[in-house]
Structures are given as C-alpha cells and as structure tokens.
Amino acid sequence: MLSCLLPVFAAHAGEGVKPAGPIGGTDIGQALLPPPGLYGVTFAGAVNIDGFFDDSGSRMPVGGDSYVGGVGLMYVYPRQVFGGSIATTLAIGYERTCVAFKPAPESCSSGLFDAYSDVVFWTRFFPNADFRAQGESDAMVTYGLAFGLGVGVTFPTGEYSAGSPINVGSNVYGIAPSIALTYNRKSIFGEALGQATEFSGRLFLNNYTDNEDTDWSSGRMLSFDFAVTQRQDQWQYGVAGVATYQIQDDIVQSVNIGNRAKGVALGPIVSRNFIVDGRPYILSAKALLSVAGENGASSQALVVRFGTRF
C-alpha cells in the first residue's frame, strides 16, 4: 500500500545522507499499486547502533539508538497512462537519534526528519495464465509481472546544524529515479506454505545537491530494496533486505576525499491484510540486521506500519 524509509542502514560516508525511498524502505509488492483512491499509513521504528564499518569493513566502537514515528499519504490517480497506474506519495515524521563514538560522550539530535515523496510513480501489471484462471471465490493473487518507474525527492525539512556531529536532517535535496519489478508465481515450496511466491525489488539512483553550509558534496549512490516472500491467504511473510553502494567519491571544498559507503542488511518481514466494516487495512512488521558494510553504521532495526484506504 504505502511503505516508508527508516534509517536502519543509511550511507554515512560524509554528511550522513540517506538512500531515497519511503520510511522503512520498500519491500513487498514494490511494483504494484492498489485501486485509485487516497491511502494513509502510520509508522514507528527503533534502531540499535552497535558499531560503524570503516573503509576496510572492520567495526569501530560506536554505540547509539534512533527512534522514528510519522505518517504517510499516497494518492493513486483515477486515470491510467500507457496501460498503467500512477501514484504520488508523501511521508513526514519525527526522529531522535543519539550516537557515541567511544570513548567520546553521546551526541543527540531530534526533530522533523527529511520528508520524502515519490513525486510520480508509474506501474503496469502483466497478468499470466494463472491469474486469469482464478475464480471469483479465490483470493485473487497477482500472478504475473509488474513493472514500475518513478522519481523520488527527499526534501531538507529535517533538523540540521552544521556544528552538530549528529543530525536527523541532511541539509540537501536528494533526487532519485527508480525502477521496480514484482513477480508472483505459484508457490515454489508447495501449497502447504501458501498460494504464491513473490520476488520484489526496487533500484534507486540517489543524487544529492551540495551542502552549502559545509561545502560538502556527497557522491551518487545506488540503493536496492528487495524481498522474497510467501503469500498464504491474507498473510505474506519472508525475507527482506537493502543493499547500498556509493559509486562516486565525496568532495569537500573542491577536494576529492575518496571515501565511499556500501553495505547489506537482511531480516524477516510479515504482513497481513484484513477488512473491517468494508474498509481494507494492512499491518506489517520488518526487522533488519546489518551483515556487512564500509563507511556505514552497523545496526539492528524494527519498523511497524499500519495503513488503510480513506
């Protein structure tokens, strides 16, 4: 319905810019949109930071935590374009983050975080024979391939101070074109574990404006959100993850400082759809654990989302 970005594994090469995407990251059904209408979601998340990967992949003694909560909206337009649906999203919220580079004392930042919007996100679904063979009494699984294209923007609305070692805001705009794919097929594990197996992923190319307060230019970065899940009636469960790879060096005061960020985080995800008094709802939870990285935080995170259609 509408997923949202939590900084569970953000690139920290330099000023701490984060990958584009909604709060909590995208995961299941990334190239699928619901019927036209206005949708809303509330989300909350917590992150434990237990280290920092240096440029060789070794962990430095860093500790901290982060808490975030907020709301998001998605509007799916009533008209189709080139056989596909179009949506616009917006997510805003509040964050508190504290980090201690041991043995230094802990530094904290709190306030609004940088708002994110999929300014335009277009998707088209190509059903296969299994989808068309479903009867009216079936759960109507989206068997087939869905393809999506979008442009997302991160706005510098977050709390920021050039003199603070920790900021929940980045003081830069992030502009990220993306491509998404979602493929559903009959369960590869047999009917006992569900009706369908879903493979879903979305690739972002993150571009950042210069931070004029520090004369810092963060290099472009690729980020890939993915999930492999089983659908069993109203439940969907499996493994989700995110991978980041910075493809350009950071530049400070016109000097190339050479550091880049990369990493991988994995964890379980579970989601349930249900209807109350004719209104659809979705409740999901996802945990992510950093398994490798360079110039990035090592963390464990949990995010919970609850959404509905207005």
Side-chain angles (χ1 to χ4, degrees), residues 26-27 30 200-202 224-228 239-243 264-266:
T26 53
D27 35 66
Q30 299 192 66
S200 190
R202 188 174 179 185
F224 180 58
D225 289 354
F226 58 91
V228 179
V239 177
V242 57
V264 177
L266 298 170

Side-chain angles (χ1 to χ4, degrees), residues 141-224:
V141 178
T142 51
Y143 293 118
L145 178 67
F147 172 76
L149 292 171
V151 176
V153 177
T154 302
F155 299 92
T157 57
E159 188 70 24
Y160 178 85
S161 171
S164 174
I166 299 297
N167 285 292
V168 297
S170 62
N171 201 40
V172 300
Y173 286 90
I175 302 171
S178 65
I179 182 171
L181 291 173
T182 297
Y183 175 65
N184 274 282
R185 54 152 294 165
K186 290 284 189 178
S187 174
I188 62 176
F189 302 106
E191 295 183 359
L193 294 181
Q195 297 92 359
T197 302
E198 179 184 289
F199 304 89
S200 190
R202 188 174 179 185
L203 178 66
F204 296 87
L205 174 59
N206 300 268
N207 306 273
Y208 304 103
T209 59
D210 295 343
N211 187 336
E212 296 181 355
D213 289 355
T214 58
D215 199 15
W216 190 298
S217 177
S218 295
R220 287 188 178 94
M221 179 172 57
L222 293 172
S223 57
F224 180 58

Side-chain angles (χ1 to χ4, degrees), residues 128-150:
N128 61 18
D130 290 327
F131 177 82
R132 291 186 288 267
Q134 295 176 103
E136 293 183 0
S137 60
D138 294 329
M140 293 304 292
V141 178
T142 51
Y143 293 118
L145 178 67
F147 172 76
L149 292 171

Side-chain angles (χ1 to χ4, degrees), residues 1 38-42 74 279-282 306-310:
M1 195 179 285
L38 179 64
Y39 298 80
V41 65
T42 60
M74 177 174 69
R279 174 175 292 183
Y281 293 90
I282 182 170
F306 179 69
T308 188
R309 180 181 179 180
F310 294 119

